[in-house]
Amino acid sequence: MKKDLITISDLTVEEIDQLIEVGKDIKDHPQDYQEVCAHKILGTLFYEPSTRTRLSFTSAMMSMGGQVLGFSSAGNSSVAKGESVADTAKTVECFADIIAMRHPKEGAPYVAAHNVDIPVINAGDGGHHHPTQTLTDLITISLEMGRLDNLVVGCCGDLKFGRTVHSLIMAMSRYANIKFVLISPDELKVPENVKTEILDANGIPYEEVSSLDEAIPKLDILYMTRVQKERFFNEADYLRLKDSYILTPHKLKNAKEDMRILHPLPRVNEISTAVDKDPRAAYFRQVQNGKYIRMALIMKLLGLSKEAH
Ligand code: CP
């Protein structure tokens, strides 16, 4: 039976750990994977803008000898003429072996997955989920900290619309002894369903605070996020909230020496560029890791391994 990745909960912890191990092996021995996807085609259907996700999927497939087709905006395809997600996916299935889809509407990749016989990867659906970003975050934390358990994880910024935060909470809640510090303005708190269905349901300790300065000394991971302009109904609210948190070298003075700063990117103002040279700033290493973990994921969903090549 074909396997899709729509939410991070489609993968068991064992499967995630295995993907991370393969991702690390790819990082160390890329030459072993050069032909793994020869004659395979990835369809990238991006109905929403993307730099990292689309290009890392593309680079991942090309680095394994595969090829890529698709569109980078709905306006460049027959979606502009009113074609449905299901029909678009069924069409691409005629030309590709696996699909990565980003869509502004929650659930669109799920609809695609249920209409085709090839694997579908959710590359971000509205404010809902972004599981390959989560895999990227997890491999980065594992590489930087040497573990995925016993961590205090601070999520800061737009925790309401930030789909990467929802997926990260869902994933990290399955590891031992994780505590979350949720740092946001009142209007951008984590949605109630994430608290009740994931955190409360699994007895995961968390606190909700508004001050980054007060939270920062206790964190092992600081996961910064951008205020999601495109999901606001009202521009005045966005303008009022967009600069709620700006991480600067001064703010890092009270952070642990081995804390790591992650950000799914793109950033707007929430991390000063002066932070980039701090060894704790892991966000561009995180981008690179996104390619390795997507290579591991594509191989898994296509049932391929380096041993078979
Ligand atoms: N992190 C992420 O999803 O970045 P892009 O929107 O550039 O793909």
Side-chain angles (χ1 to χ4, degrees), residues 24-81:
K24 289 178 182 176
D25 191 55
I26 293 169
K27 179 177 192 294
D28 293 339
H29 308 286
Q31 68 282 0
D32 292 352
Y33 295 84
Q34 279 171 355
E35 300 298 327
V36 171
C37 284
H39 312 297
K40 298 291 182 191
I41 297 175
L42 167 71
T44 53
L45 314 188
F46 277 63
Y47 294 72
E48 250 195 353
S50 167
T51 297
R52 274 144 297 273
T53 310
R54 191 173 66 81
L55 296 184
S56 65
F57 266 118
T58 302
S59 178
M61 198 61 177
M62 291 169 73
S63 296
M64 295 190 291
Q67 297 182 70
V68 184
L69 53 75
F71 53 82
S72 57
S73 95
N76 289 340
S77 72
S78 284
V79 174
K81 302 174 201 161

Side-chain angles (χ1 to χ4, degrees), residues 43-277:
T44 53
L45 314 188
F46 277 63
Y47 294 72
E48 250 195 353
S50 167
T51 297
R52 274 144 297 273
T53 310
R54 191 173 66 81
L55 296 184
S56 65
F57 266 118
T58 302
S59 178
M61 198 61 177
M62 291 169 73
S63 296
M64 295 190 291
Q67 297 182 70
V68 184
L69 53 75
F71 53 82
S72 57
S73 95
N76 289 340
S77 72
S78 284
V79 174
K81 302 174 201 161
E83 188 162 49
S84 69
V85 164
D87 283 0
T88 302
K90 282 195 246 186
T91 300
V92 173
E93 182 183 28
C94 300
F95 312 131
D97 301 287
I98 183 167
I99 288 173
M101 174 183 280
R102 170 170 291 187
H103 202 287
K105 284 206 178 120
E106 286 86 352
Y110 177 86
V111 171
H114 280 260
N115 279 279
V116 297
D117 294 323
I118 61 174
V120 173
I121 301 170
N122 178 4
D125 61 331
H128 202 194
H129 290 292
H130 192 349
T132 62
Q133 180 63 49
T134 308
L135 291 172
T136 301
D137 302 340
L138 295 178
I139 190 174
T140 302
I141 294 170
S142 178
L143 282 163
E144 298 279 336
M145 305 299 287
R147 64 186 192 279
L148 283 167
D149 52 11
N150 298 303
L151 292 166
V152 178
V153 181
C155 300
C156 178
D158 183 351
L159 309 188
K160 179 180 179 182
F161 296 115
R163 58 192 172 198
T164 63
V165 169
H166 309 159
S167 293
L168 183 68
I169 290 173
M170 187 182 268
M172 293 222 66
S173 293
R174 296 197 279 171
Y175 289 87
N177 196 23
I178 298 296
K179 180 181 174 187
F180 289 100
V181 182
L182 305 174
I183 310 151
S184 73
D186 253 7
E187 295 95 326
L188 297 177
K189 280 181 163 178
V190 165
E192 279 307 312
N193 72 304
V194 174
K195 286 187 262 181
T196 55
E197 292 167 23
I198 303 171
L199 295 170
D200 295 338
N202 294 292
I204 310 296
Y206 68 94
E207 54 182 308
E208 293 184 283
V209 300
S210 58
S211 166
L212 175 59
D213 288 336
E214 283 173 29
I216 209 164
K218 51 188 152 187
L219 305 180
D220 298 307
I221 301 292
L222 172 56
Y223 193 90
M224 293 296 294
T225 61
R226 153 183 86 88
V227 175
Q228 305 261 312
K229 180 180 185 184
E230 64 275 31
R231 313 217 188 276
F232 274 75
F233 293 114
N234 174 335
E235 176 147 19
D237 285 346
Y238 169 71
L239 292 174
R240 183 168 51 80
L241 294 167
K242 72 183 175 68
D243 291 330
S244 297
Y245 303 100
I246 301 178
L247 187 66
T248 59
H250 179 72
K251 280 192 191 295
L252 282 169
K253 285 210 164 80
N254 293 325
K256 291 181 184 174
E257 279 303 308
D258 66 345
M259 187 189 82
R260 287 294 183 272
I261 307 157
L262 273 67
H263 190 311
L265 304 180
R267 76 172 144 193
V268 185
N269 278 332
E270 59 280 357
I271 302 180
S272 149
T273 53
V275 172
D276 295 359
K277 55 183 176 293

